[in-house]
Amino acid sequence: MNKRILAIGAALGATTIYGLNHTIAKGVMPTYIQPFGFIVLRVVGAAFLFWIASLFGPKEKIDKKDYPRLCLAAILGMGFNMLVFFKGLALSTPINSAVLITTTPIIVLILSALVIKEKIGAQKFWGIGIGLLGALGLILFSSEVRQDAPNIPLGNIFILMNSVFYGSYLIVVKALLSKYNPLTFMKWLFTLGIFICLPFGYDEFSQIAWSTLPFEAIWPIIFVIVGTTFCTYLFNIFALTQLKASTLSVFMYVQPLVGIMYAIGTGRDNLTIVKIAGACLVFLGVYLASRRPKKS
């Protein structure tokens, strides 16, 4: 089979897993496991899998001069990013999560302008404004009362913070990804993530009632560790070997569609006027911010 077709399948598979994750991970929090305890499980499980996988990759050592950047990448990408996302997901709804997560390209654009002085044209400027307006609408006007979503506005703020931390991580990690084999890099990143997340999640992790966990809680935990964390990264890395980064970013638009359809199909969430209006503004903003302006 053509490698490009396989790469497209891998990219589609990764974004589909991400879309399903909003509802699947939400389903076990907080009934069976608290968000920070879940993150400890996630980083420990992923670190173990990447160490096993690295046995089949090249033997590399991290240069001492790269230690500070590696630690910062772990703090942003494997620490604060995951912690605020799962906390937000526990407080909010799967549809809000699936929509707000797509603001990441807008956040990256803003950070790029601030950190590396990348120029922002009129089209991208309007895209940033419209996208953030949609996100703000979801935060301020989400007044649903749900037992499984105790504080939707605060949860939405946490999910938006996830985009900020992840966008910062992408900028910090860029130089390291071009220097080291992905398996070498990720095994150390997730290993550092354990030490970063453990102080926040140890109490919640120790409260997990392992002996009474039903299958309906076990399989989502496995899905998050193996699917959402380990497989998606490998899928995206393979896709990048055959596709341009700009092409791969297009698949991001599939994630909220999968997330919304799965959440509604399983009865875990419902559409409201606020969600529809906010989603439309976010999608339009991301489209304008990500679209290449026409050459004059």
Side-chain angles (χ1 to χ4, degrees):
M1 186 179 292
N2 188 296
K3 284 188 176 182
R4 182 175 174 81
I5 295 176
L6 286 175
I8 291 173
L12 189 59
T15 198
T16 299
I17 291 173
Y18 282 135
L20 298 176
N21 180 67
H22 298 283
T23 299
I24 292 174
K26 172 74 175 176
V28 297
M29 297 185 296
T31 305
Y32 301 108
I33 183 171
Q34 296 294 324
F36 289 175
F38 205 163
I39 290 303
V40 171
L41 263 179
R42 185 178 181 182
V43 294
V44 169
F48 174 77
L49 292 175
F50 277 114
W51 272 94
I52 295 298
S54 68
L55 296 176
F56 304 95
K59 310 303 178 186
E60 296 177 316
K61 290 184 178 180
I62 305 294
D63 290 342
K64 290 183 179 180
K65 64 180 181 180
D66 291 328
Y67 286 175
R69 184 179 286 268
L70 185 70
C71 290
L72 181 59
I75 291 170
L76 294 171
M78 308 305 153
F80 294 162
N81 163 51
M82 291 187 180
L83 290 168
V84 297
F85 174 66
F86 267 50
K87 185 66 174 179
L89 185 58
L91 295 174
S92 188
T93 69
I95 288 180
N96 283 335
S97 172
V99 170
L100 287 171
I101 208 73
T102 60
T103 59
T104 299
I106 291 177
I107 299 299
V108 171
L109 194 60
I110 295 173
L111 292 173
S112 296
L114 295 174
V115 177
I116 60 178
K117 309 301 180 184
E118 183 176 311
K119 292 183 179 180
I120 297 179
Q123 177 182 287
K124 292 183 183 293
F125 175 82
W126 283 109
I128 290 171
I130 292 171
L132 293 181
L133 183 65
L136 191 62
L138 287 174
I139 291 171
L140 296 178
F141 301 108
S142 293
S143 56
E144 295 176 83
V145 178
R146 289 174 47 163
Q147 188 174 358
D148 67 336
N151 196 331
I152 293 176
L154 181 59
N156 290 346
I157 291 173
F158 278 131
I159 294 168
L160 194 61
M161 287 173 61
N162 158 78
S163 293
V164 174
F165 287 129
Y166 188 69
S168 303
Y169 158 78
L170 290 177
I171 293 175
V172 170
V173 83
K174 187 175 181 180
L176 295 175
L177 282 176
S178 61
K179 187 174 181 179
Y180 300 104
N181 180 274
L183 293 177
T184 301
F185 178 71
M186 293 307 294
K187 74 177 182 182
W188 286 113
L189 205 61
F190 275 98
T191 300
L192 289 171
I194 295 173
F195 296 99
I196 295 166
C197 296
L198 202 56
F200 295 93
Y202 177 77
D203 286 342
E204 293 183 1
F205 178 78
S206 63
Q207 293 171 14
I208 301 173
W210 295 104
S211 59
T212 58
L213 274 183
F215 179 72
E216 64 196 53
I218 293 174
W219 79 260
I221 291 173
I222 295 174
F223 176 87
V224 170
I225 295 171
V226 179
T228 308
T229 312
F230 181 73
C231 289
T232 53
Y233 180 80
L234 293 182
F235 287 169
N236 281 328
I237 286 298
F238 173 72
L240 278 172
T241 64
Q242 305 297 322
L243 305 172
K244 294 180 179 178
S246 57
T247 303
L248 187 62
S249 67
V250 173
F251 288 88
M252 178 199 65
Y253 295 102
V254 178
Q255 183 182 154
L257 299 179
V258 172
I260 291 170
M261 288 190 295
Y262 186 74
I264 294 174
T266 55
R268 300 290 182 87
D269 205 350
N270 60 288
L271 281 174
T272 64
I273 297 298
V274 171
K275 288 177 184 175
I276 294 172
C280 289
L281 288 174
V282 169
F283 295 160
L284 177 59
V286 172
Y287 170 74
L288 291 175
S290 304
R291 184 170 173 263
R292 290 182 178 181
K294 294 181 179 178
K295 294 181 180 180
S296 57

